[in-house]
Amino acid sequence: MIVITSNQTPEERVQEIISVIEKEGLQVHVSRGTDHTVIGLIGSIQPQLAEHLRQMKGVENVIKITKSYKLASRDFHPENTVIQIGDVRIGGGDLVVMGGPCAVESPEQIDEIARLVKAAGGQVLRGGAFKPRTGPYSFQGIGVEGLVMMAEAGKKHGLLTITEVMTPEYVDVCAEYADILQVGTRNMQNFDLLRKLGECGKPVLLKRGFSATYDEFLNAAEYILAGGNPNVMLCERGIRTFETYTRNTLDLSAIPVLQSLSHLPVISDPSHGTGRRELVEPMTKASVAAGADGLIIEMHTDPDNSMTGDGVQSLFPDQFAGLLRDLEKLAPIVGKRFETPKETVQI
Amino acid sequence: MIVITSNQTPEERVQEIISVIEKEGLQVHVSRGTDHTVIGLIGSIQPQLAEHLRQMKGVENVIKITKSYKLASRDFHPENTVIQIGDVRIGGGDLVVMGGPCAVESPEQIDEIARLVKAAGGQVLRGGAFKPRTGPYSFQGIGVEGLVMMAEAGKKHGLLTITEVMTPEYVDVCAEYADILQVGTRNMQNFDLLRKLGECGKPVLLKRGFSATYDEFLNAAEYILAGGNPNVMLCERGIRTFETYTRNTLDLSAIPVLQSLSHLPVISDPSHGTGRRELVEPMTKASVAAGADGLIIEMHTDPDNSMTGDGVQSLFPDQFAGLLRDLEKLAPIVGKRFETPKETVQI
Amino acid sequence: MIVITSNQTPEERVQEIISVIEKEGLQVHVSRGTDHTVIGLIGSIQPQLAEHLRQMKGVENVIKITKSYKLASRDFHPENTVIQIGDVRIGGGDLVVMGGPCAVESPEQIDEIARLVKAAGGQVLRGGAFKPRTGPYSFQGIGVEGLVMMAEAGKKHGLLTITEVMTPEYVDVCAEYADILQVGTRNMQNFDLLRKLGECGKPVLLKRGFSATYDEFLNAAEYILAGGNPNVMLCERGIRTFETYTRNTLDLSAIPVLQSLSHLPVISDPSHGTGRRELVEPMTKASVAAGADGLIIEMHTDPDNSMTGDGVQSLFPDQFAGLLRDLEKLAPIVGKRFETPKETVQI
Amino acid sequence: MIVITSNQTPEERVQEIISVIEKEGLQVHVSRGTDHTVIGLIGSIQPQLAEHLRQMKGVENVIKITKSYKLASRDFHPENTVIQIGDVRIGGGDLVVMGGPCAVESPEQIDEIARLVKAAGGQVLRGGAFKPRTGPYSFQGIGVEGLVMMAEAGKKHGLLTITEVMTPEYVDVCAEYADILQVGTRNMQNFDLLRKLGECGKPVLLKRGFSATYDEFLNAAEYILAGGNPNVMLCERGIRTFETYTRNTLDLSAIPVLQSLSHLPVISDPSHGTGRRELVEPMTKASVAAGADGLIIEMHTDPDNSMTGDGVQSLFPDQFAGLLRDLEKLAPIVGKRFETPKETVQI
């Protein structure tokens, strides 16, 4: 960490700042420039110290050189984290495809979609039972019932399941029925939820807040890791920018950046990342080319009549299957494994 | 609501879309242009219908003309909401100043600051007992103990109190000790928290999410109002933009915009909105000139040593008192009432 | 186009608005809803009319249904534009790679880099002779001399050349020496420059302004097309967002979006789009997977000592060559043709 | 300036980096931390050096401590710049109001508006003769003729005049007719235009690019100052953010920030900054309360029929006059002087 004093800071004040640092058991290196004095800190630094120093009079800037997160950082964990659930391995070179509807609507709907996800080569069934909605009058999900329906469909068709959990009190019930718990973009900094997920053994897919920096995203993951749960996937799902033609701006640079800063698997969500069905296919391929470890894609048998209105970004089953066959060709070029079933199925 | 079909949509599809609308008991007006067919809907429209129509094939765009929120809208409630707590009236022409530290640290600290807030002319004491922090290793607040300390300080000095509540399970205890419950920027779309606050009688100060549009902000307020709690204040606290010199970009246009769209009082937070002590004074004055109903300002007796690191944006007590004396002159020019005590106090 | 009146607009005012529209020789369809009156316009609409109507009292909103650009729109030109220069075809299914240094520095430098671009399989040599720089004290390019050096290097090694033109008065000299003229991101709305390029026969690569919407981008292209020059390429080069880890946020959704809205070829610039050498490779592949018609990539033989400081985003020659060999495998999977030379060359 | 090496940089590389710095005649201070080595540079640093070092292998970050602009910086020019034109002083404590239409349309229009600006207390007449427009088919201004009309109206009514210049070749003719030359937001980084304005003696009002950081804004001003023209005003006119309800987000923090970083006068443009007539009044007052040295406000006698469509953000003459009377009361509270004429005039 480096502390920069402003150019009018008197020498006594510089000494006061230094003594605050030394009281923490740290060494200092002082460089007196023509305009500024720069104080370098050496040793193991408590996070509060930066904040404390920043607010001292005479301090112009405090620059952190080491990252504020530790367990999520590749510096402290050089090998990739591989999350194994049943025979699905996430982060270890296999491309993992999660597919399904925005919301679970009925046993028939989720069963039929599960069949199609499996037939196309997907490994995980997605579906929401609790839905975060901007306004209070929109459909809010069918609740625990939906969890049960999805668990049955997953088991029947040999798929893992993933579902969103919105509040600490529902972590246990979601963990009972689903294999992976998803934290939505609006909850990325719902710290009580993150803490609760840290205690829960289940793998977590953490979606990036739609205005979260990489640093904030990795700090949010750190909450879960620090709670004792090492099975975290990071999910890029589009950020908010000035461009409104797409629902969000899918930030694919996040994939290689997060993989270099962290050892955690990185998943891409081209459905929410674009909000438009016709963009899901090219942006899925682009995600894989950029190095994604997996994908989460909305697919619906009757998008015209989906209950959440997200049908507009859902693929039709045949589009989904065709896309996965393309991924089978694309994956090996970027060093990933992915296979679709060879038998013909009815779509 | 208006539905626009794309220019290749065949006539039969247009008829299907129309029949979906008519099934909802609505009337339609159809305009066939050279490139597009435009369908106007007349009648009382369910929110799901827009979503349903948007995802139908052949639909290019669905434009809502009436707002998605109702209780928060000035259309349905033309008079200003005035929230009366004790003898403090918020939204009725009085300028309300909330001041205090980022975090409650000790009984002595909060008592001394309360004394200074009161002496300067503030009506509400702010202070956090539960702190939302980007990283898990930062100071997280002293918890319920802090609520007790603040309640005592408020009572002793004749100030109302406001504190942040971060999770549904803490709403009751916060409501027991504080007069106003604050929802932080990261929790603006924590819908379970909003629902719980709707059931709770206490006034709520809802902070705008740092990337929330006005529409999303008012929809978040709608959750609380729809739950039965009419006492909501909207708080502009800076949005996230490309500019990093300031911590956030305080969007003062939000003040007159929200006052025109809604009847709820609008409070400005120049401390978080700028993140720099030297900007708090000019942006406080600008907030009042823009029409704010109140302000929430950080003040600390020893900002160098505040426990959260937010000292860098906290005013010193004499700055705070001087600023409030300036507001006394400014308020009447924009039609607000505000007075500071006339006796001399020791700062 | 649709005009929406606010809910208190009296009937006479609505009639005045309608008569303004009818005076333009247009038909109207009026839908009177419970809250709003909606006026649909039918016929060929002058662009000024929208602006005029928007500012009339009683008008709440004017919504354009047809696009403001015409020549750039796929609606009016359904087939892809293919730009043929010598034996290089851009936009017709061949993947085009433009490579080279940020700035031309010396005859030896540009000659050696040209040799390496050609050997790796690139078709176009890039290099700046006039450099747009944020501050006046930074290196501003070597000027016309650089154009001459680059033209010679291109000719010698059988490469087309592309260079940035910054001001209308230099269009002629740049057009004399280079095959493609590039408009930089800061000049996307330098309308006099665009008009001058419209008169000039040479193909133009137009970079998206770093905060330009798709609509503004296509309107900027429209200036060139409307001036009589049909040979325009659109270049996505990263937009400005809140994320500062990358220099810009490369918006790859722009590729399929622009290709659907327009018939013009779309080029991606992963060098400026990320600003970091280690991200250029994954984002180049992602660009191709998303459907890009071409790439513009910085490569330098001695990035440590480049004169502009953009070395930090320049590939080394061996990275560039390896990346192009990967593109050879990737291109056919997304329906593009690209080949690298089969003879071994010394890098 | 500080150079931070990454944690795997070998000692020999660190020595190479140091020797590059010492070759420039600079001293170094080296701090070896547990993870990083930090090199502090002492002496007068050329701007290119930062760029050079940043791209050297082994360098993780280069942090500039002193600013990249010099002439625009308050560090080098502690007193406010006061621009005196005739008897109008800008930046010296007087509040300066520039008012007028978006575009000059006819001699009668500009004469009548000039009369009303003067009567209300404004000191400068604004009006565009050359208009930057997003699309090529929109009204582009009436050209030199408009300059003549405005100059006559200004002279007749005792007002200074300001007009936008869009391209270097028109600087001379604009300077012949107008007292202040305005650089529009899209041209903030049109460096040839800035250079030309540096040579021209006339005062310049430089508008902030709608996505420019403070640092980029001040570097653009530096181009003009470095060219020999010290008479530059900075104009905040709204930035582009995710919020689309307002045309731009007026960043009022820019006013005190720019005044602290620079000695140049700061003007606010609430008309373009909001794009909505009903927000101009509160945001004008807020601008003054935040410390603005002046305002540029659109006013039109017949906004319904303005030729540019910017009527929607233009005040009516009586609103403009009423607003200026309010500013007369507000100005002294923030230490500014402003007076409106005491005789009654016909509006």
Side-chain angles (χ1 to χ4, degrees):
Chain A
M1 198 156 68
I2 291 168
V3 175
I4 298 164
T5 65
S6 53
N7 50 6
Q8 299 97 343
T9 308
E11 182 55 29
E12 314 91 90
R13 184 63 181 170
V14 174
Q15 288 306 325
E16 281 171 46
I17 295 167
I18 288 172
S19 73
V20 164
I21 297 166
E22 290 181 337
K23 251 184 256 163
E24 302 281 321
L26 301 167
Q27 277 186 275
V28 299
H29 271 237
V30 182
S31 311
R32 284 181 177 78
T34 37
D35 289 332
H36 300 269
T37 294
V38 175
I39 306 166
L41 281 66
I42 300 164
S44 172
I45 299 168
Q46 297 298 312
Q48 276 91 326
L49 184 61
E51 301 166 350
H52 182 170
L53 291 169
R54 186 169 286 126
Q55 58 194 326
M56 290 187 77
K57 256 196 235 183
V59 170
E60 189 168 297
N61 208 349
V62 173
I63 298 160
K64 293 184 197 174
I65 298 175
T66 44
K67 301 169 185 89
S68 50
Y69 47 89
K70 236 184 165 94
L71 301 173
S73 168
R74 199 175 272 282
D75 295 348
F76 294 85
H77 185 308
E79 301 81 32
N80 287 341
T81 283
V82 180
I83 302 175
Q84 175 121 23
I85 320 172
D87 54 1
V88 175
R89 287 165 54 87
I90 306 172
D94 293 334
L95 189 68
V96 175
V97 177
M98 315 183 186
C102 183
V104 181
E105 299 173 10
S106 71
E108 296 73 28
Q109 175 238 26
I110 194 70
D111 179 76
E112 174 64 1
I113 292 178
R115 185 180 72 79
L116 292 162
V117 169
K118 183 69 180 183
Q123 301 102 318
V124 185
L125 178 65
R126 60 150 290 155
F130 303 96
K131 302 300 305 171
R133 306 308 301 273
T134 299
Y137 311 124
S138 298
F139 170 64
Q140 311 269 332
I142 62 173
V144 177
E145 244 187 308
L147 294 177
V148 181
M149 295 174 196
M150 190 164 64
E152 283 175 8
K155 194 175 298 174
K156 175 168 162 195
H157 295 285
L159 292 168
L160 300 179
T161 57
I162 177 171
T163 203
E164 177 163 351
V165 56
M166 284 175 60
T167 191
E169 60 172 318
Y170 280 98
V171 166
D172 289 339
V173 69
C174 289
E176 191 184 330
Y177 289 105
D179 297 300
I180 306 173
L181 302 183
Q182 173 183 320
V183 179
T185 189
R186 293 172 186 79
N187 276 321
M188 192 202 82
Q189 293 192 317
N190 184 332
F191 301 117
D192 281 282
L193 178 59
L194 301 179
R195 268 188 282 259
K196 179 80 182 166
L197 289 165
E199 296 161 16
C200 160
K202 281 284 163 98
V204 175
L205 181 139
L206 177 67
K207 289 202 164 183
R208 181 182 183 186
F210 57 67
S211 287
T213 62
Y214 302 144
D215 190 76
E216 289 168 340
F217 191 14
L218 290 166
N219 264 294
E222 188 82 4
Y223 267 93
I224 305 174
L225 298 169
N229 185 347
N231 297 313
V232 177
M233 293 160 244
L234 303 168
C235 179
E236 164 62 31
R237 48 77 69 207
I239 58 173
R240 180 160 281 183
T241 69
F242 62 84
E243 179 59 70
T244 57
Y245 183 92
T246 45
R247 183 167 164 181
N248 295 285
T249 295
L250 190 64
D251 174 17
L252 290 188
S253 298
I255 296 171
V257 168
L258 293 170
Q259 287 171 337
S260 79
L261 295 176
S262 178
H263 49 87
L264 299 171
V266 181
I267 309 297
S268 174
D269 176 352
S271 304
H272 289 86
T274 64
R276 287 173 165 260
R277 181 184 296 137
E278 74 274 18
L279 300 178
V280 171
E281 188 202 303
M283 295 311 279
T284 296
K285 292 179 186 171
S287 299
V288 173
D293 296 296
L295 297 145
I296 182 161
I297 299 172
E298 294 199 3
M299 185 259 270
H300 202 289
T301 45
D302 184 13
D304 264 20
N305 291 298
S306 96
M307 287 169 79
T308 58
D310 268 0
V312 73
Q313 69 195 28
S314 295
L315 294 185
F316 291 97
D318 58 338
Q319 291 177 311
F320 182 78
L323 175 56
L324 267 57
R325 285 193 297 273
D326 284 349
L327 295 189
E328 189 170 15
K329 291 178 233 154
L330 183 53
I333 292 178
V334 290
K336 291 284 191 306
R337 288 177 298 273
F338 184 69
E339 276 186 35
T340 60
K342 290 302 152 280
E343 64 275 27
T344 313
V345 282
Q346 189 187 346
I347 286 176
Chain B
M1 197 156 70
I2 291 168
V3 175
I4 299 164
T5 65
S6 53
N7 50 6
Q8 297 98 342
T9 308
E11 183 55 30
E12 316 89 88
R13 184 64 180 169
V14 173
Q15 289 306 326
E16 281 169 46
I17 296 166
I18 289 171
S19 73
V20 164
I21 297 165
E22 291 179 335
K23 249 185 257 163
E24 301 282 320
L26 301 166
Q27 275 185 275
V28 299
H29 271 237
V30 182
S31 310
R32 285 183 177 76
T34 38
D35 289 332
H36 300 269
T37 294
V38 175
I39 306 167
L41 281 66
I42 300 164
S44 172
I45 300 166
Q46 297 298 311
Q48 277 91 324
L49 183 60
E51 301 167 350
H52 183 170
L53 291 169
R54 185 169 287 124
Q55 59 194 326
M56 290 188 76
K57 256 196 236 185
V59 170
E60 188 168 296
N61 208 350
V62 173
I63 298 161
K64 292 185 197 174
I65 297 174
T66 43
K67 301 171 185 86
S68 51
Y69 48 89
K70 235 184 168 97
L71 301 173
S73 168
R74 198 174 273 280
D75 295 349
F76 293 86
H77 184 308
E79 301 80 33
N80 286 340
T81 282
V82 180
I83 303 175
Q84 175 123 21
I85 320 172
D87 53 1
V88 176
R89 287 165 52 89
I90 307 173
D94 293 334
L95 189 68
V96 176
V97 178
M98 314 182 185
C102 183
V104 180
E105 299 173 10
S106 71
E108 295 74 27
Q109 176 239 24
I110 194 69
D111 179 76
E112 174 64 1
I113 293 179
R115 186 180 72 80
L116 292 162
V117 168
K118 183 67 179 184
Q123 303 101 318
V124 185
L125 177 65
R126 61 151 288 156
F130 303 95
K131 302 300 305 172
R133 306 308 300 273
T134 298
Y137 310 124
S138 299
F139 170 64
Q140 311 270 330
I142 62 173
V144 176
E145 242 187 311
L147 295 177
V148 180
M149 294 173 197
M150 191 165 62
E152 283 173 9
K155 193 175 298 173
K156 175 168 162 197
H157 295 285
L159 291 169
L160 300 178
T161 57
I162 177 170
T163 203
E164 177 163 352
V165 56
M166 284 175 60
T167 190
E169 60 172 317
Y170 280 98
V171 166
D172 289 338
V173 68
C174 288
E176 192 183 330
Y177 289 104
D179 298 299
I180 306 173
L181 302 182
Q182 174 182 319
V183 178
T185 189
R186 295 171 185 80
N187 276 321
M188 191 201 83
Q189 293 191 317
N190 184 332
F191 301 117
D192 281 283
L193 178 59
L194 300 179
R195 268 188 283 258
K196 178 79 182 168
L197 288 165
E199 295 162 16
C200 159
K202 281 283 163 98
V204 175
L205 181 139
L206 177 66
K207 289 203 165 182
R208 181 181 182 185
F210 58 67
S211 287
T213 62
Y214 302 143
D215 190 75
E216 290 167 340
F217 190 14
L218 290 166
N219 265 293
E222 188 82 3
Y223 266 93
I224 305 174
L225 298 169
N229 185 348
N231 297 313
V232 177
M233 293 161 245
L234 304 169
C235 180
E236 162 62 31
R237 48 76 68 206
I239 58 173
R240 181 160 281 184
T241 69
F242 63 84
E243 179 60 69
T244 56
Y245 183 92
T246 45
R247 183 167 164 180
N248 295 286
T249 296
L250 189 65
D251 174 18
L252 290 188
S253 299
I255 297 172
V257 168
L258 293 170
Q259 287 171 336
S260 78
L261 295 175
S262 178
H263 49 87
L264 299 171
V266 180
I267 310 297
S268 174
D269 176 352
S271 304
H272 289 87
T274 64
R276 288 173 164 261
R277 182 183 297 136
E278 74 272 19
L279 299 178
V280 172
E281 188 201 303
M283 296 310 280
T284 296
K285 291 178 186 172
S287 299
V288 172
D293 295 296
L295 297 145
I296 182 161
I297 299 172
E298 294 200 2
M299 184 260 269
H300 202 289
T301 46
D302 184 13
D304 265 19
N305 291 298
S306 96
M307 288 169 78
T308 58
D310 269 0
V312 73
Q313 69 195 27
S314 294
L315 294 184
F316 290 97
D318 57 338
Q319 292 178 311
F320 183 78
L323 175 56
L324 268 57
R325 284 192 299 273
D326 284 350
L327 296 189
E328 189 169 15
K329 291 178 232 155
L330 184 52
I333 293 177
V334 289
K336 291 284 191 308
R337 287 177 298 273
F338 184 68
E339 276 186 35
T340 60
K342 288 303 152 278
E343 63 274 23
T344 313
V345 282
Q346 190 187 345
I347 287 176
Chain C
M1 198 156 67
I2 291 168
V3 175
I4 298 164
T5 65
S6 53
N7 49 5
Q8 298 98 342
T9 308
E11 182 55 30
E12 316 91 89
R13 183 63 181 170
V14 173
Q15 289 306 326
E16 281 170 45
I17 296 167
I18 289 171
S19 73
V20 164
I21 298 167
E22 291 180 336
K23 250 184 254 164
E24 301 282 320
L26 301 166
Q27 277 185 276
V28 298
H29 271 238
V30 181
S31 311
R32 284 182 178 76
T34 38
D35 289 332
H36 298 269
T37 294
V38 175
I39 306 166
L41 281 66
I42 300 165
S44 171
I45 300 167
Q46 297 299 311
Q48 276 92 326
L49 184 60
E51 301 166 349
H52 182 171
L53 290 169
R54 185 169 287 126
Q55 60 195 323
M56 290 186 77
K57 258 196 235 183
V59 170
E60 188 168 297
N61 208 350
V62 173
I63 298 161
K64 292 185 198 175
I65 297 174
T66 43
K67 300 171 185 89
S68 51
Y69 48 89
K70 237 186 164 97
L71 301 173
S73 168
R74 199 175 272 280
D75 295 348
F76 293 85
H77 185 308
E79 301 81 31
N80 286 341
T81 282
V82 180
I83 302 175
Q84 175 120 22
I85 320 173
D87 53 1
V88 175
R89 286 166 53 89
I90 307 173
D94 294 333
L95 189 67
V96 176
V97 177
M98 314 182 187
C102 184
V104 180
E105 298 174 9
S106 72
E108 296 72 28
Q109 176 239 26
I110 194 70
D111 179 76
E112 174 64 2
I113 293 179
R115 186 180 72 80
L116 292 162
V117 168
K118 183 69 180 183
Q123 302 102 317
V124 184
L125 178 65
R126 61 150 289 157
F130 303 95
K131 302 300 305 172
R133 307 308 301 272
T134 299
Y137 310 125
S138 299
F139 170 64
Q140 311 271 332
I142 62 173
V144 177
E145 245 187 309
L147 294 177
V148 181
M149 294 174 197
M150 190 165 64
E152 283 173 9
K155 194 175 298 173
K156 177 169 161 195
H157 295 285
L159 291 168
L160 300 178
T161 56
I162 177 171
T163 203
E164 177 164 352
V165 55
M166 284 175 59
T167 190
E169 60 171 317
Y170 280 98
V171 166
D172 290 338
V173 68
C174 289
E176 192 183 331
Y177 288 105
D179 298 300
I180 306 173
L181 302 182
Q182 173 183 321
V183 179
T185 189
R186 292 172 187 80
N187 276 320
M188 191 201 83
Q189 293 191 317
N190 184 332
F191 301 117
D192 281 282
L193 179 59
L194 300 179
R195 268 188 282 258
K196 178 80 182 168
L197 289 165
E199 296 162 14
C200 160
K202 281 284 163 97
V204 175
L205 180 140
L206 177 66
K207 289 201 164 184
R208 181 182 183 187
F210 57 67
S211 287
T213 62
Y214 302 143
D215 190 75
E216 289 168 340
F217 191 14
L218 290 166
N219 264 294
E222 188 81 5
Y223 266 93
I224 305 174
L225 299 169
N229 185 347
N231 297 313
V232 177
M233 294 161 244
L234 304 169
C235 179
E236 163 62 31
R237 49 76 68 205
I239 57 172
R240 180 159 281 184
T241 69
F242 62 83
E243 179 59 70
T244 57
Y245 183 91
T246 45
R247 182 167 165 180
N248 295 286
T249 296
L250 191 64
D251 174 17
L252 290 188
S253 300
I255 297 172
V257 168
L258 293 170
Q259 287 171 337
S260 79
L261 295 176
S262 178
H263 49 86
L264 299 171
V266 181
I267 310 298
S268 175
D269 176 352
S271 304
H272 289 86
T274 64
R276 288 174 164 260
R277 182 183 297 137
E278 74 274 18
L279 300 178
V280 171
E281 188 201 303
M283 295 310 279
T284 296
K285 292 179 186 171
S287 299
V288 173
D293 295 296
L295 296 145
I296 182 160
I297 298 172
E298 293 199 4
M299 184 259 270
H300 202 290
T301 44
D302 184 12
D304 264 20
N305 292 298
S306 96
M307 289 169 79
T308 57
D310 268 0
V312 73
Q313 69 195 28
S314 294
L315 293 184
F316 290 98
D318 58 337
Q319 292 177 310
F320 182 79
L323 175 57
L324 267 58
R325 285 193 297 273
D326 284 349
L327 296 189
E328 190 169 15
K329 290 179 235 156
L330 182 53
I333 292 177
V334 289
K336 290 283 191 308
R337 289 177 296 273
F338 185 68
E339 276 186 35
T340 61
K342 290 302 152 277
E343 63 275 25
T344 312
V345 282
Q346 189 187 346
I347 287 177
Chain D
M1 197 156 73
I2 291 169
V3 174
I4 299 165
T5 65
S6 54
N7 50 5
Q8 297 98 342
T9 308
E11 182 56 29
E12 315 89 88
R13 184 64 180 169
V14 173
Q15 289 306 326
E16 281 169 44
I17 296 167
I18 289 172
S19 74
V20 164
I21 297 167
E22 291 180 335
K23 248 184 256 162
E24 301 282 319
L26 301 167
Q27 275 186 274
V28 298
H29 271 236
V30 182
S31 311
R32 286 183 175 76
T34 38
D35 288 332
H36 298 270
T37 294
V38 175
I39 306 167
L41 281 67
I42 300 164
S44 172
I45 299 168
Q46 297 299 311
Q48 278 90 327
L49 183 60
E51 301 167 349
H52 182 171
L53 290 169
R54 184 169 287 124
Q55 60 194 325
M56 290 187 77
K57 257 197 233 183
V59 171
E60 188 167 298
N61 208 350
V62 174
I63 298 160
K64 292 185 198 174
I65 298 175
T66 43
K67 301 173 184 84
S68 51
Y69 47 89
K70 237 185 166 94
L71 301 174
S73 168
R74 199 175 272 281
D75 295 349
F76 293 86
H77 185 309
E79 302 81 32
N80 286 341
T81 282
V82 179
I83 302 175
Q84 174 122 22
I85 320 173
D87 53 1
V88 176
R89 287 165 53 89
I90 307 173
D94 294 333
L95 189 69
V96 175
V97 178
M98 314 183 186
C102 183
V104 180
E105 298 173 10
S106 71
E108 295 73 27
Q109 175 240 23
I110 195 70
D111 179 76
E112 174 65 0
I113 293 178
R115 186 180 71 80
L116 292 162
V117 168
K118 184 69 180 183
Q123 301 101 318
V124 184
L125 177 65
R126 62 150 289 157
F130 303 96
K131 301 301 306 170
R133 305 309 300 274
T134 298
Y137 310 124
S138 299
F139 170 63
Q140 310 270 331
I142 62 173
V144 176
E145 243 187 311
L147 295 177
V148 180
M149 294 173 196
M150 190 164 62
E152 283 174 8
K155 193 175 297 173
K156 175 168 161 196
H157 295 285
L159 292 169
L160 300 179
T161 57
I162 177 170
T163 202
E164 177 164 351
V165 55
M166 284 176 60
T167 190
E169 60 172 317
Y170 280 97
V171 166
D172 290 337
V173 68
C174 289
E176 192 183 330
Y177 289 104
D179 298 299
I180 306 173
L181 302 182
Q182 173 183 321
V183 179
T185 189
R186 294 172 185 79
N187 276 320
M188 191 201 83
Q189 293 190 317
N190 184 332
F191 301 117
D192 280 283
L193 179 59
L194 300 180
R195 268 187 282 259
K196 179 79 182 169
L197 288 165
E199 296 161 16
C200 160
K202 281 285 165 98
V204 175
L205 181 139
L206 178 66
K207 289 201 165 184
R208 182 181 182 185
F210 57 67
S211 288
T213 61
Y214 302 143
D215 190 75
E216 290 168 340
F217 190 14
L218 290 166
N219 264 294
E222 188 81 4
Y223 266 93
I224 305 174
L225 299 170
N229 185 348
N231 297 313
V232 177
M233 293 161 244
L234 304 169
C235 179
E236 163 62 32
R237 48 76 68 207
I239 58 172
R240 180 160 283 183
T241 69
F242 63 84
E243 179 59 69
T244 56
Y245 183 92
T246 45
R247 182 166 165 182
N248 295 286
T249 296
L250 190 64
D251 173 18
L252 290 188
S253 298
I255 297 172
V257 168
L258 293 170
Q259 287 171 336
S260 79
L261 295 176
S262 178
H263 49 87
L264 300 171
V266 181
I267 309 298
S268 175
D269 176 352
S271 304
H272 289 86
T274 64
R276 287 174 165 260
R277 182 183 297 137
E278 74 272 19
L279 300 179
V280 171
E281 188 201 303
M283 295 310 280
T284 296
K285 291 179 186 172
S287 299
V288 172
D293 296 296
L295 297 145
I296 181 160
I297 299 171
E298 293 199 4
M299 185 260 270
H300 202 289
T301 45
D302 184 13
D304 265 20
N305 290 297
S306 97
M307 289 169 77
T308 58
D310 269 359
V312 72
Q313 69 195 28
S314 294
L315 294 184
F316 290 98
D318 57 338
Q319 291 178 311
F320 182 79
L323 175 56
L324 268 58
R325 284 191 299 271
D326 284 348
L327 295 188
E328 189 169 15
K329 291 180 233 154
L330 183 53
I333 292 177
V334 289
K336 290 285 192 307
R337 288 178 298 273
F338 183 69
E339 277 186 35
T340 60
K342 289 304 152 274
E343 63 275 25
T344 314
V345 282
Q346 188 187 347
I347 287 176

